[in-house]
Amino acid sequence: MGNRGMEDLIPLVNRLQDALSSVGQSCSLYLPQIAVVGGQSAGKSSVLENFVGRDFLPRGSGIVTRRPLILQLLSANTEYGEFFHCKGKKFTDFDEIRKEIEAETRRLTGSNKGISPVPINLRIYSPHVLNLTLVDLPGITKVPVGDQPADIEYQIRDMIMQFICKENCLILAVTPANTDLANSDALKLAKDVDPQGQRTIGVITKLDLMDEGTDARNILENRLLPLRRGYIGVVNRSQKDIDVKKDIKAALLAEKKFFLSHPAYKHMAESMGTPYLQRILNQQLTNHIRDTLPAFRTHLQGQLLDLNKEAEKCKQFSPDDPGQRTKTLLQSVIQRLAVDFEKLIEGSGDKVDTVNLSGGARINRIFHEHFPNELVKIELDERKLRREINYAIRNIHGVRTGLFTPDMAFEAIVKKQISRLKGPCIQFVDTVSQELISTVYQCINKLSSFPKLQDETERIVTTEIREQESKCKDQVIHTQLDIAFSFGCGLACNRWQQTSPSLPSAVVQVIRKGWLTISNIGIMKGGAKEYWFILSAESLSWFKDDEEKEKKYMLPLDNLKLRDVEKGFRSSKFVFAIFNTELRNVYKDYKCLELACYSQEELDSWKASLLQAGVYPEKVTVDGQGNGAPENFTDPQLERQVETIRNLVDSYMSITYKTIKDLMPKTIMHHMINSVKEFISSELLAQLYALGECSALMDESPEQQQHREEVLRKHAALKEALAVIAKFSTSTCTTPLPPPVDSSWIQPSRFSSPPSPTLPRKSVTSGKPVVRGHAPSVPRVHAHTPSPSTDGLQPNRAPPSVPR
């Protein structure tokens, strides 16, 4: 019946379906198949049983088919069935097949008439079948029965749509003859997804149950309600025949006798009946595969290309070869883990995350935003500080009145202030350590194929990070802060003078650029406006736009501080204000400049940048004035000494903040990040070997072993499919699809989108007009030669006019 390669392609597609199902990707390739759609008790199951010649489908009242049944029919010398979920077990008793279908259905859906979209794969070998792949779907229902869910109708329709929406799926629309064809649910659903009728084949059942004096001749001749592929009539066994277990072979003989003897159908008896339908479906599926072959081959090649690299790795890995295990250990841990970790930290990865910050970017944010903000949050209680200085000076002088400001008072106060830095510094180290561990976890997760190796690697690297974290904390507390303690008052004054803002600067450093809105400009002056801001180490400037050609204003940073501004009730922006500590106007007549941005993250980033430029947040004291009220001293000389030390402490702590802010990231980079990178690349393998269990470390997980086998099986199936397709003769003769017909009589389903526009009234093959009301003939399909064949689709006899 055509090219032998095409006949072999249907069984190959079935094998490919199994291979893909084994790895959970049965839907990744839209394999050509035929979906059987129809209402409950429309005769779908009987049609399928007639194809096989055996009773093997569940029977009963209400909804019986509750899971899709992918039925693969393969011509063979022996007769038996196989289920995909029972590999290796052959069912020669078809009653056992029915029981297995019922048991597998109950396993997922229970006994409450519920449904599940997970298919059951059944393959039947028989000398009485032609190669076909069909999907038996639950019958369309409208009213829930028993304890079925209230939305059972929608669930069934959604399940059906998942299959028939695929372009590679032919639709077998089954409708009983004793119902109104214009209201057929099967044809309505087919019309929704196949408006041009290129994939729909009509089947009319129960022709023997029509009222006496009526027949379906006009329908079967494709005249009354024409379909592009036409209709085929069948006569199934009645319920009584099923109850008495009437043999299907006898039923097929009775069907043939019915069509030969019926006055309305005897002239078309050769193109009616189950055997003819089976041949036509085999032919249509074969031709459908041929039509979709170019796109199908391209899809297969893409899948194979994506799978080649992984399949090659699976072939190279030998679980029983110690040398191969060692090589895999070296490649997995030393090379891949070290490279992945460095890419995440250094930001040179091949795959860039465009949604979230990760690895080095998160640590960089901690360095330059979170840590500086934590330092600024260390509030100074002005009253308490002056009181402490007062007591320190008086205690140092003892019974004598000192004429000079004592250095020891300064050192005592400074040590106490520096000790407050320990908390943010330790928290800083902890935060970076946690980010490092998270980054390592992200890399080690790729070793999930080897659970023992993954666990040991995680333990060893995490232990190393904790050790480096401890060393880093020791370095911070006992080295950097101790060095800060050792500075004297004279050195502090010297450093303060050297870093005075009055000194000229050769290079002005640009710290940040970006858009901000000046939100407190009056309405009479144009309202809030957005400008392009540039923050340098000396000034804050803004321009009309980011071309930086028209400068609006430049604001020096001397004596500037910033404060938070509460977000307005209806405002979506985040606002902060800049003001002058000497109560001077900042901008024109404004005492402060309120600047707004669009996110909290952007606000924190601007505040960190201003902090880097030396613009610190306002520190509100107990009296709420910001400057604090000095201690009421009775001794003017003591008051002057307190003020002197207070100024020195402020200057020295400013220097210390900058030093700590600069040294902490460098310390962490040296003691933690670089050390961990070096450890992973040079020492990790040695520690793994020291465990003495290298063979056990490379034991695969059962999931990985199964995955490897499935990858190889899928890879082999894809290569086999492409090999058969490559042998397919493109010179196979076939007749084009019949031209379009008027299918506007099919009302669209209420679950679907509005119907497509009316089809053009010209044939897609000849270009000749199609007379409205006349059904086009369905052309004959040929094999190698155009001579007539009983396997072909017989022309329907269309009279000159179609009765309305």
Side-chain angles (χ1 to χ4, degrees):
M1 53 152 279
N3 184 285
R4 182 63 190 169
M6 282 306 304
E7 294 180 15
D8 292 340
L9 189 57
I10 294 178
L12 178 67
V13 168
N14 292 338
R15 294 198 298 273
L16 183 59
Q17 176 91 38
D18 289 348
L20 296 177
S21 298
S22 67
V23 290
Q25 297 186 11
S26 58
C27 297
S28 62
L29 290 175
Y30 299 142
L31 302 174
Q33 56 193 7
I34 301 173
V36 185
V37 182
Q40 286 187 24
S41 303
K44 304 189 307 299
S45 298
S46 296
V47 170
L48 296 178
E49 288 183 336
N50 288 348
F51 286 169
V52 178
R54 292 282 190 170
D55 292 317
F56 68 97
L57 292 175
R59 296 283 183 174
S61 59
I63 179 172
V64 177
T65 304
R66 296 187 284 133
R67 287 177 59 183
L69 176 65
I70 298 179
L71 179 62
Q72 300 172 355
L73 305 181
L74 294 173
S75 181
N77 295 328
T78 56
E79 188 176 42
Y80 63 92
E82 286 183 346
F83 286 95
F84 180 74
H85 61 273
C86 299
K87 290 183 178 179
K89 182 177 180 181
K90 295 183 178 181
F91 292 80
T92 55
D93 186 348
F94 281 77
D95 287 335
E96 292 295 325
I97 292 180
R98 178 191 301 107
K99 294 177 182 178
E100 182 62 30
I101 293 175
E102 293 173 345
E104 182 65 13
T105 300
R106 285 195 301 270
R107 187 179 67 83
L108 283 186
T109 62
S111 56
N112 64 343
K113 298 295 183 180
I115 65 172
S116 170
V118 180
I120 299 174
N121 289 68
L122 171 61
R123 177 177 293 176
I124 292 181
Y125 296 85
S126 173
H128 310 299
V129 301
L130 294 178
N131 294 333
L132 277 178
T133 299
L134 303 109
V135 182
D136 186 21
L137 296 168
I140 303 169
T141 185
K142 297 184 181 299
V143 180
V145 178
D147 53 356
Q148 287 180 342
D151 62 340
I152 187 68
E153 177 184 5
Y154 296 88
Q155 290 186 27
I156 292 177
R157 288 177 181 267
D158 288 343
M159 184 192 304
I160 294 174
M161 285 294 183
Q162 289 178 12
F163 285 88
I164 66 176
C165 283
K166 300 172 185 176
E167 291 297 326
N168 279 14
C169 180
L170 293 175
I171 305 169
L172 194 65
V174 180
T175 305
N178 55 358
T179 61
D180 187 358
L181 190 65
N183 295 325
S184 169
D185 290 323
L187 291 176
K188 288 179 182 179
L189 287 177
K191 173 70 173 178
D192 291 341
V193 299
D194 182 31
Q196 297 184 5
Q198 296 182 354
R199 300 187 285 119
T200 304
I201 303 171
V203 175
I204 305 299
T205 61
K206 302 185 179 182
L207 292 168
D208 56 331
L209 299 182
M210 298 187 68
D211 294 338
E212 188 175 353
T214 62
D215 59 62
R217 175 175 176 175
N218 287 339
I219 296 174
L220 294 176
E221 289 181 344
N222 206 24
R223 298 167 53 199
L224 181 60
L225 304 173
L227 285 179
R228 193 166 184 175
R229 291 181 183 265
Y231 297 88
I232 298 174
V234 296
V235 176
N236 300 323
R237 292 176 299 166
S238 65
Q239 186 60 46
K240 181 179 178 181
D241 294 337
I242 295 173
D243 293 339
V244 299
K245 298 186 180 299
K246 181 179 180 179
D247 185 63
I248 292 181
K249 293 181 180 179
L252 293 178
L253 291 175
E255 179 189 48
K256 182 177 181 181
K257 181 178 180 181
F258 172 82
F259 284 112
L260 289 173
S261 60
H262 198 288
Y265 310 132
K266 61 182 180 180
H267 66 287
M268 63 178 91
E270 292 183 358
S271 58
M272 294 289 133
T274 300
Y276 179 77
L277 175 61
Q278 189 175 7
R279 292 196 304 272
I280 290 302
L281 292 182
N282 172 269
Q283 190 180 64
Q284 295 290 349
L285 182 58
T286 300
N287 286 327
H288 189 60
I289 294 174
R290 181 189 187 279
D291 294 339
T292 58
L293 197 60
F296 187 54
R297 178 168 56 252
T298 301
H299 205 158
L300 284 173
Q301 290 171 341
Q303 292 277 321
L304 184 63
L305 187 62
D306 294 339
L307 204 63
N308 275 337
K309 189 174 182 180
E310 185 178 3
E312 190 64 28
K313 290 182 180 179
C314 292
K315 290 178 182 178
Q316 293 177 356
F317 181 73
S318 177
D320 301 325
D321 185 0
Q324 185 65 41
R325 283 172 173 257
T326 303
K327 181 180 179 181
T328 304
L329 177 64
L330 178 64
Q331 292 177 344
S332 298
V333 178
I334 299 305
Q335 296 180 0
R336 189 169 69 182
L337 181 61
V339 169
D340 290 348
F341 181 76
E342 184 170 359
K343 284 182 177 181
L344 283 175
I345 294 297
E346 300 297 337
S348 58
D350 299 330
K351 296 181 180 180
V352 180
D353 191 346
T354 58
V355 179
N356 299 305
L357 293 178
S358 61
R362 294 178 64 87
I363 295 176
N364 180 275
R365 186 178 178 183
I366 296 171
F367 283 171
H368 300 292
E369 293 184 20
H370 292 177
F371 181 59
N373 283 334
E374 290 298 321
L375 290 179
V376 173
K377 289 180 182 178
I378 302 176
E379 298 287 345
L380 285 177
D381 188 332
E382 192 69 25
R383 289 179 181 273
K384 183 179 179 181
L385 178 60
R386 291 178 180 274
R387 187 182 301 112
E388 290 175 352
I389 296 173
N390 181 3
Y391 290 154
I393 294 173
R394 290 161 67 179
N395 287 332
I396 290 171
H397 285 164
V399 296
R400 298 177 180 83
T401 301
L403 299 177
F404 303 100
T405 306
D407 293 349
M408 293 179 63
F410 167 77
E411 292 179 3
I413 297 300
V414 164
K415 286 183 178 181
K416 190 171 184 179
Q417 295 301 318
I418 290 178
S419 65
R420 300 177 64 191
L421 297 177
K422 290 183 179 180
C425 290
I426 296 302
Q427 183 182 359
F428 180 34
V429 176
D430 289 338
T431 306
V432 174
S433 175
Q434 192 58 46
E435 288 296 339
L436 271 180
I437 292 176
S438 298
T439 304
V440 169
Y441 283 167
Q442 186 175 347
C443 299
I444 293 178
N445 281 338
K446 296 181 180 180
L447 302 178
S448 57
S449 304
F450 310 100
K452 294 182 181 179
L453 175 63
Q454 182 182 20
D455 293 342
E456 290 298 331
T457 303
E458 179 181 319
R459 180 186 62 80
I460 293 173
V461 177
T462 303
T463 301
E464 175 66 17
I465 292 176
R466 294 301 184 191
E467 290 179 0
Q468 295 301 328
E469 176 188 341
S470 178
K471 292 179 181 179
C472 189
K473 288 180 180 178
D474 184 71
Q475 172 75 15
V476 170
I477 296 174
H478 300 297
T479 303
Q480 293 184 3
L481 295 183
D482 285 348
I483 290 174
F485 287 155
S486 66
F487 277 129
C489 178
L491 182 58
C493 295
N494 185 37
R495 288 284 303 275
W496 174 50
Q497 292 173 358
Q498 290 178 359
T499 57
S500 173
S502 61
L503 294 177
S505 177
V507 179
V508 178
Q509 178 187 4
V510 175
I511 298 175
R512 185 183 178 87
K513 295 182 179 182
W515 292 97
L516 285 174
T517 301
I518 303 179
S519 61
N520 63 327
I521 296 180
I523 297 178
M524 298 300 294
K525 296 185 178 182
K529 291 185 178 180
E530 193 172 31
Y531 295 101
W532 179 258
F533 279 75
I534 298 180
L535 174 65
S536 69
E538 296 181 354
S539 64
L540 180 66
S541 306
W542 58 91
F543 297 77
K544 181 179 179 180
D545 50 41
D546 55 2
E547 294 182 0
E548 302 177 10
K549 293 182 179 179
E550 185 178 343
K551 181 183 288 188
K552 292 295 184 180
Y553 198 79
M554 185 179 73
L555 179 65
L557 301 182
D558 297 339
N559 301 320
L560 292 185
K561 286 193 174 183
L562 62 89
R563 68 163 67 100
D564 292 326
V565 178
E566 291 187 5
K567 188 177 178 181
F569 177 70
R570 294 186 177 181
S571 174
S572 61
K573 295 184 177 181
F574 297 81
V575 186
F576 63 94
I578 297 176
F579 66 95
N580 193 295
T581 57
E582 298 179 355
L583 303 181
R584 296 177 182 175
N585 291 343
V586 175
Y587 172 67
K588 295 184 178 181
D589 298 332
Y590 295 93
K591 293 292 184 183
C592 70
L593 195 65
E594 293 186 0
L595 304 176
C597 47
Y598 290 94
S599 67
Q600 182 66 44
E601 184 176 350
E602 190 178 0
L603 174 65
D604 293 340
S605 182
W606 269 105
K607 290 167 70 174
S609 299
L610 287 166
L611 181 64
Q612 184 178 349
V615 180
Y616 295 94
E618 176 187 20
K619 296 179 179 179
V620 181
T621 57
V622 176
D623 61 357
Q625 298 302 319
N627 296 322
E631 185 77 17
N632 293 324
F633 302 122
T634 57
D635 184 356
Q637 184 177 354
L638 178 60
E639 184 177 348
R640 287 194 298 271
Q641 292 177 353
V642 170
E643 188 64 28
T644 299
I645 292 181
R646 173 66 187 88
N647 291 334
L648 287 174
V649 168
D650 191 50
S651 174
Y652 181 69
M653 290 307 299
S654 176
I655 295 171
T656 303
Y657 284 148
K658 291 180 180 179
T659 303
I660 294 298
K661 188 173 64 174
D662 178 62
L663 288 179
M664 281 297 297
K666 296 177 181 178
T667 303
I668 288 179
M669 280 295 298
H670 175 70
H671 285 280
M672 294 183 64
I673 297 176
N674 291 340
S675 296
V676 172
K677 285 166 54 179
E678 181 68 19
F679 175 82
I680 292 175
S681 61
S682 62
E683 298 183 31
L684 177 59
L685 182 61
Q687 293 207 19
L688 287 172
Y689 275 129
L691 297 175
E693 301 177 353
C694 290
S695 178
L697 288 177
M698 297 308 296
D699 288 342
E700 285 184 300
S701 65
E703 295 79 10
Q704 173 63 19
Q705 185 176 1
Q706 181 181 0
H707 174 72
R708 181 163 53 84
E709 294 173 354
E710 289 170 349
V711 166
L712 293 176
R713 187 163 56 250
K714 179 181 176 183
H715 187 263
L718 289 170
K719 290 183 67 176
E720 183 184 0
L722 287 171
V724 173
I725 292 175
K727 298 177 182 178
F728 165 64
S729 174
T730 55
S731 62
T732 301
C733 298
T734 184
T735 304
L737 187 69
V741 297
D742 181 14
S743 59
S744 59
W745 58 272
I746 304 178
Q747 297 299 321
S749 168
R750 59 192 177 97
F751 296 91
S752 66
S753 56
S756 306
T758 305
L759 295 172
R761 305 311 302 155
K762 287 190 176 182
S763 166
V764 295
T765 55
S766 65
K768 297 180 181 180
V770 177
V771 180
R772 185 174 181 84
H774 288 255
S777 62
V778 182
R780 185 188 307 271
V781 181
H782 302 283
H784 288 287
T785 62
S787 59
S789 170
T790 56
D791 290 340
L793 198 62
Q794 299 294 333
N796 289 319
R797 298 167 177 82
S801 61
V802 178
R804 289 290 178 185

